[in-house]
PDB file of all heavy atoms in Angstrom:
ATOM      1  N   SER N 272      15.214 112.237 115.872  1.00 43.00           N
ATOM      2  CA  SER N 272      14.825 112.598 117.214  1.00 43.00           C
ATOM      3  C   SER N 272      15.112 114.042 117.526  1.00 43.00           C
ATOM      4  O   SER N 272      14.331 114.760 118.155  1.00 43.00           O
ATOM      5  CB  SER N 272      15.587 111.718 118.308  1.00 43.00           C
ATOM      6  OG  SER N 272      15.285 110.399 118.116  1.00 43.00           O
ATOM      7  N   LEU N 279       9.673 121.781 120.297  1.00 39.00           N
ATOM      8  CA  LEU N 279       9.613 121.972 121.760  1.00 39.00           C
ATOM      9  C   LEU N 279      10.708 122.951 122.219  1.00 39.00           C
ATOM     10  O   LEU N 279      10.428 123.797 123.007  1.00 39.00           O
ATOM     11  CB  LEU N 279       9.893 120.625 122.460  1.00 39.00           C
ATOM     12  CG  LEU N 279       9.832 120.614 123.993  1.00 39.00           C
ATOM     13  CD1 LEU N 279       8.498 121.146 124.453  1.00 39.00           C
ATOM     14  CD2 LEU N 279      10.104 119.213 124.423  1.00 39.00           C
ATOM     15  N   THR N 286       9.386 130.983 126.213  1.00 45.00           N
ATOM     16  CA  THR N 286       8.673 130.952 127.528  1.00 45.00           C
ATOM     17  C   THR N 286       9.230 132.205 128.376  1.00 45.00           C
ATOM     18  O   THR N 286      10.211 132.748 128.075  1.00 45.00           O
ATOM     19  CB  THR N 286       8.969 129.733 128.270  1.00 45.00           C
ATOM     20  OG1 THR N 286      10.316 129.531 128.336  1.00 45.00           O
ATOM     21  CG2 THR N 286       8.413 128.498 127.607  1.00 45.00           C
ATOM     22  N   GLU N 348     -38.226  90.712  80.657  1.00 78.00           N
ATOM     23  CA  GLU N 348     -39.620  90.553  80.272  1.00 78.00           C
ATOM     24  C   GLU N 348     -40.437  91.753  80.612  1.00 78.00           C
ATOM     25  O   GLU N 348     -41.375  92.069  79.914  1.00 78.00           O
ATOM     26  CB  GLU N 348     -40.164  89.316  80.983  1.00 78.00           C
ATOM     27  CG  GLU N 348     -39.567  87.964  80.519  1.00 78.00           C
ATOM     28  CD  GLU N 348     -39.816  87.721  79.090  1.00 78.00           C
ATOM     29  OE1 GLU N 348     -40.953  88.032  78.591  1.00 78.00           O
ATOM     30  OE2 GLU N 348     -38.928  87.241  78.328  1.00 78.00           O
ATOM     31  N   MET N 353     -43.957  96.469  78.471  1.00 85.00           N
ATOM     32  CA  MET N 353     -44.226  97.869  78.530  1.00 85.00           C
ATOM     33  C   MET N 353     -45.282  98.223  77.416  1.00 85.00           C
ATOM     34  O   MET N 353     -45.083  97.786  76.308  1.00 85.00           O
ATOM     35  CB  MET N 353     -43.006  98.782  78.510  1.00 85.00           C
ATOM     36  CG  MET N 353     -42.147  98.769  79.788  1.00 85.00           C
ATOM     37  SD  MET N 353     -40.939 100.118  79.698  1.00 85.00           S
ATOM     38  CE  MET N 353     -41.919 101.533  79.668  1.00 85.00           C
ATOM     39  N   ILE N 394     -36.801 117.290  43.419  1.00 97.00           N
ATOM     40  CA  ILE N 394     -36.426 118.666  43.915  1.00 97.00           C
ATOM     41  C   ILE N 394     -34.890 118.826  43.787  1.00 97.00           C
ATOM     42  O   ILE N 394     -34.356 119.866  43.265  1.00 97.00           O
ATOM     43  CB  ILE N 394     -36.898 118.936  45.282  1.00 97.00           C
ATOM     44  CG1 ILE N 394     -38.453 118.877  45.325  1.00 97.00           C
ATOM     45  CG2 ILE N 394     -36.476 120.245  45.810  1.00 97.00           C
ATOM     46  CD1 ILE N 394     -39.009 118.852  46.775  1.00 97.00           C
ATOM     47  N   GLY N 448     -23.552 115.602  65.748  1.00 93.00           N
ATOM     48  CA  GLY N 448     -24.541 116.159  64.786  1.00 93.00           C
ATOM     49  C   GLY N 448     -24.055 117.411  64.134  1.00 93.00           C
ATOM     50  O   GLY N 448     -24.821 118.393  63.948  1.00 93.00           O
ATOM     51  N   ARG N 453     -19.878 116.659  53.918  1.00 97.00           N
ATOM     52  CA  ARG N 453     -20.368 115.359  54.326  1.00 97.00           C
ATOM     53  C   ARG N 453     -19.461 114.814  55.431  1.00 97.00           C
ATOM     54  O   ARG N 453     -19.661 113.628  55.749  1.00 97.00           O
ATOM     55  CB  ARG N 453     -20.489 114.445  53.134  1.00 97.00           C
ATOM     56  CG  ARG N 453     -21.338 114.934  52.027  1.00 97.00           C
ATOM     57  CD  ARG N 453     -22.833 115.018  52.501  1.00 97.00           C
ATOM     58  NE  ARG N 453     -23.441 113.701  52.697  1.00 97.00           N
ATOM     59  CZ  ARG N 453     -23.969 112.962  51.823  1.00 97.00           C
ATOM     60  NH1 ARG N 453     -24.119 113.422  50.541  1.00 97.00           N
ATOM     61  NH2 ARG N 453     -24.435 111.784  52.096  1.00 97.00           N
ATOM     62  N   VAL N 462     -15.560 122.483  69.286  1.00 92.00           N
ATOM     63  CA  VAL N 462     -15.167 123.566  70.296  1.00 92.00           C
ATOM     64  C   VAL N 462     -14.217 124.571  69.610  1.00 92.00           C
ATOM     65  O   VAL N 462     -14.255 125.782  69.923  1.00 92.00           O
ATOM     66  CB  VAL N 462     -14.424 122.865  71.502  1.00 92.00           C
ATOM     67  CG1 VAL N 462     -13.857 123.884  72.414  1.00 92.00           C
ATOM     68  CG2 VAL N 462     -15.473 121.939  72.178  1.00 92.00           C
ATOM     69  N   ALA N 519     -32.220 128.411  44.386  1.00 97.00           N
ATOM     70  CA  ALA N 519     -32.548 127.340  43.368  1.00 97.00           C
ATOM     71  C   ALA N 519     -33.764 126.505  43.837  1.00 97.00           C
ATOM     72  O   ALA N 519     -34.618 126.142  43.065  1.00 97.00           O
ATOM     73  CB  ALA N 519     -31.312 126.435  43.201  1.00 97.00           C
ATOM     74  N   ILE N 533     -44.478 116.675  39.172  1.00 97.00           N
ATOM     75  CA  ILE N 533     -45.371 115.841  39.945  1.00 97.00           C
ATOM     76  C   ILE N 533     -46.519 115.355  39.168  1.00 97.00           C
ATOM     77  O   ILE N 533     -46.935 114.261  39.025  1.00 97.00           O
ATOM     78  CB  ILE N 533     -45.723 116.518  41.257  1.00 97.00           C
ATOM     79  CG1 ILE N 533     -44.541 116.656  42.139  1.00 97.00           C
ATOM     80  CG2 ILE N 533     -46.851 115.684  41.946  1.00 97.00           C
ATOM     81  CD1 ILE N 533     -44.771 117.469  43.387  1.00 97.00           C
ATOM     82  N   LEU N 547     -58.570 109.972  53.537  1.00 90.00           N
ATOM     83  CA  LEU N 547     -58.592 111.394  53.507  1.00 90.00           C
ATOM     84  C   LEU N 547     -60.089 111.902  53.199  1.00 90.00           C
ATOM     85  O   LEU N 547     -60.608 112.762  53.924  1.00 90.00           O
ATOM     86  CB  LEU N 547     -57.705 112.006  52.421  1.00 90.00           C
ATOM     87  CG  LEU N 547     -57.720 113.461  52.174  1.00 90.00           C
ATOM     88  CD1 LEU N 547     -57.435 114.201  53.397  1.00 90.00           C
ATOM     89  CD2 LEU N 547     -56.837 113.874  51.042  1.00 90.00           C
ATOM     90  N   GLY N 558     -71.138 118.960  60.927  1.00 94.00           N
ATOM     91  CA  GLY N 558     -71.487 120.400  60.818  1.00 94.00           C
ATOM     92  C   GLY N 558     -70.317 121.347  60.950  1.00 94.00           C
ATOM     93  O   GLY N 558     -70.463 122.559  61.209  1.00 94.00           O
ATOM     94  N   LYS N 559     -69.063 120.813  60.714  1.00 95.00           N
ATOM     95  CA  LYS N 559     -67.862 121.581  60.854  1.00 95.00           C
ATOM     96  C   LYS N 559     -67.653 122.415  59.528  1.00 95.00           C
ATOM     97  O   LYS N 559     -67.974 121.906  58.437  1.00 95.00           O
ATOM     98  CB  LYS N 559     -66.632 120.778  61.126  1.00 95.00           C
ATOM     99  CG  LYS N 559     -66.803 119.866  62.361  1.00 95.00           C
ATOM    100  CD  LYS N 559     -67.027 120.592  63.678  1.00 95.00           C
ATOM    101  CE  LYS N 559     -67.107 119.623  64.846  1.00 95.00           C
ATOM    102  NZ  LYS N 559     -67.409 120.337  66.053  1.00 95.00           N
ATOM    103  N   ALA N 601     -51.270 131.715  48.828  1.00 96.00           N
ATOM    104  CA  ALA N 601     -51.541 132.611  49.983  1.00 96.00           C
ATOM    105  C   ALA N 601     -50.340 133.359  50.400  1.00 96.00           C
ATOM    106  O   ALA N 601     -50.405 134.295  51.171  1.00 96.00           O
ATOM    107  CB  ALA N 601     -52.117 131.742  51.145  1.00 96.00           C
ATOM    108  N   LYS N 603     -47.888 132.367  52.532  1.00 94.00           N
ATOM    109  CA  LYS N 603     -47.537 132.266  53.960  1.00 94.00           C
ATOM    110  C   LYS N 603     -46.048 132.295  54.065  1.00 94.00           C
ATOM    111  O   LYS N 603     -45.382 131.789  53.197  1.00 94.00           O
ATOM    112  CB  LYS N 603     -48.104 130.988  54.534  1.00 94.00           C
ATOM    113  CG  LYS N 603     -49.583 130.866  54.532  1.00 94.00           C
ATOM    114  CD  LYS N 603     -50.092 129.503  55.017  1.00 94.00           C
ATOM    115  CE  LYS N 603     -49.754 128.374  53.914  1.00 94.00           C
ATOM    116  NZ  LYS N 603     -50.208 127.036  54.373  1.00 94.00           N
ATOM    117  N   TYR N 638     -57.254 133.813  45.603  1.00 97.00           N
ATOM    118  CA  TYR N 638     -55.755 133.965  45.703  1.00 97.00           C
ATOM    119  C   TYR N 638     -55.385 135.051  46.692  1.00 97.00           C
ATOM    120  O   TYR N 638     -56.072 136.002  46.872  1.00 97.00           O
ATOM    121  CB  TYR N 638     -55.267 134.285  44.301  1.00 97.00           C
ATOM    122  CG  TYR N 638     -54.845 133.097  43.471  1.00 97.00           C
ATOM    123  CD1 TYR N 638     -55.448 131.817  43.594  1.00 97.00           C
ATOM    124  CD2 TYR N 638     -53.891 133.176  42.453  1.00 97.00           C
ATOM    125  CE1 TYR N 638     -55.173 130.751  42.848  1.00 97.00           C
ATOM    126  CE2 TYR N 638     -53.572 132.084  41.632  1.00 97.00           C
ATOM    127  CZ  TYR N 638     -54.152 130.907  41.829  1.00 97.00           C
ATOM    128  OH  TYR N 638     -53.854 129.800  41.091  1.00 97.00           O
ATOM    129  N   GLY N 640     -54.576 137.443  49.636  1.00 96.00           N
ATOM    130  CA  GLY N 640     -55.259 137.775  50.914  1.00 96.00           C
ATOM    131  C   GLY N 640     -54.375 137.834  52.086  1.00 96.00           C
ATOM    132  O   GLY N 640     -53.162 137.829  52.065  1.00 96.00           O
ATOM    133  N   SER N 671     -50.917 130.403  65.553  1.00 89.00           N
ATOM    134  CA  SER N 671     -50.766 130.287  66.982  1.00 89.00           C
ATOM    135  C   SER N 671     -50.765 131.557  67.665  1.00 89.00           C
ATOM    136  O   SER N 671     -51.460 131.797  68.721  1.00 89.00           O
ATOM    137  CB  SER N 671     -49.382 129.590  67.327  1.00 89.00           C
ATOM    138  OG  SER N 671     -49.200 129.496  68.717  1.00 89.00           O
ATOM    139  N   GLY N 674     -54.271 133.208  67.908  1.00 90.00           N
ATOM    140  CA  GLY N 674     -55.240 132.522  68.814  1.00 90.00           C
ATOM    141  C   GLY N 674     -55.933 131.335  68.322  1.00 90.00           C
ATOM    142  O   GLY N 674     -56.702 130.711  69.062  1.00 90.00           O
ATOM    143  N   ILE N 688     -41.856 106.542  66.012  1.00 95.00           N
ATOM    144  CA  ILE N 688     -42.563 105.822  67.088  1.00 95.00           C
ATOM    145  C   ILE N 688     -42.403 104.385  66.990  1.00 95.00           C
ATOM    146  O   ILE N 688     -42.240 103.665  67.992  1.00 95.00           O
ATOM    147  CB  ILE N 688     -44.067 106.370  67.235  1.00 95.00           C
ATOM    148  CG1 ILE N 688     -44.137 107.752  67.706  1.00 95.00           C
ATOM    149  CG2 ILE N 688     -44.804 105.445  68.158  1.00 95.00           C
ATOM    150  CD1 ILE N 688     -45.500 108.311  67.743  1.00 95.00           C
ATOM    151  N   MET N 730     -14.361 104.753  84.957  1.00 89.00           N
ATOM    152  CA  MET N 730     -14.971 105.901  84.221  1.00 89.00           C
ATOM    153  C   MET N 730     -14.762 105.631  82.738  1.00 89.00           C
ATOM    154  O   MET N 730     -15.730 105.793  81.941  1.00 89.00           O
ATOM    155  CB  MET N 730     -14.217 107.242  84.585  1.00 89.00           C
ATOM    156  CG  MET N 730     -14.671 108.443  83.784  1.00 89.00           C
ATOM    157  SD  MET N 730     -16.417 108.792  84.164  1.00 89.00           S
ATOM    158  CE  MET N 730     -16.213 109.417  85.865  1.00 89.00           C
ATOM    159  N   PRO N 789     -65.200 113.555  67.805  1.00 85.00           N
ATOM    160  CA  PRO N 789     -65.185 114.979  67.623  1.00 85.00           C
ATOM    161  C   PRO N 789     -65.589 115.753  68.805  1.00 85.00           C
ATOM    162  O   PRO N 789     -65.504 116.972  68.866  1.00 85.00           O
ATOM    163  CB  PRO N 789     -66.110 115.180  66.411  1.00 85.00           C
ATOM    164  CG  PRO N 789     -66.964 114.026  66.403  1.00 85.00           C
ATOM    165  CD  PRO N 789     -66.207 112.845  66.938  1.00 85.00           C
ATOM    166  N   ASP N 798     -47.684 113.718  83.377  1.00 60.00           N
ATOM    167  CA  ASP N 798     -46.372 113.211  83.851  1.00 60.00           C
ATOM    168  C   ASP N 798     -45.358 113.300  82.769  1.00 60.00           C
ATOM    169  O   ASP N 798     -44.259 112.691  82.918  1.00 60.00           O
ATOM    170  CB  ASP N 798     -46.550 111.712  84.281  1.00 60.00           C
ATOM    171  CG  ASP N 798     -47.137 110.867  83.137  1.00 60.00           C
ATOM    172  OD1 ASP N 798     -47.616 111.406  82.180  1.00 60.00           O
ATOM    173  OD2 ASP N 798     -46.942 109.647  83.275  1.00 60.00           O
ATOM    174  N   HIS N 804     -44.979 111.924  73.169  1.00 70.00           N
ATOM    175  CA  HIS N 804     -44.898 110.607  72.562  1.00 70.00           C
ATOM    176  C   HIS N 804     -43.685 109.831  72.907  1.00 70.00           C
ATOM    177  O   HIS N 804     -43.406 108.708  72.406  1.00 70.00           O
ATOM    178  CB  HIS N 804     -44.972 110.737  70.997  1.00 70.00           C
ATOM    179  CG  HIS N 804     -43.737 111.233  70.348  1.00 70.00           C
ATOM    180  ND1 HIS N 804     -43.380 112.572  70.273  1.00 70.00           N
ATOM    181  CD2 HIS N 804     -42.675 110.601  69.762  1.00 70.00           C
ATOM    182  CE1 HIS N 804     -42.211 112.692  69.658  1.00 70.00           C
ATOM    183  NE2 HIS N 804     -41.741 111.499  69.330  1.00 70.00           N
TER     184      HIS N 804
END
Side-chain angles (χ1 to χ4, degrees):
S272 300
L279 181 58
T286 57
E348 291 301 320
M353 285 190 65
I394 297 171
R453 298 298 291 271
V462 173
I533 292 171
L547 176 60
K559 308 297 184 182
K603 295 176 292 181
Y638 269 26
S671 178
I688 290 179
M730 178 66 68
D798 58 343
H804 77 275

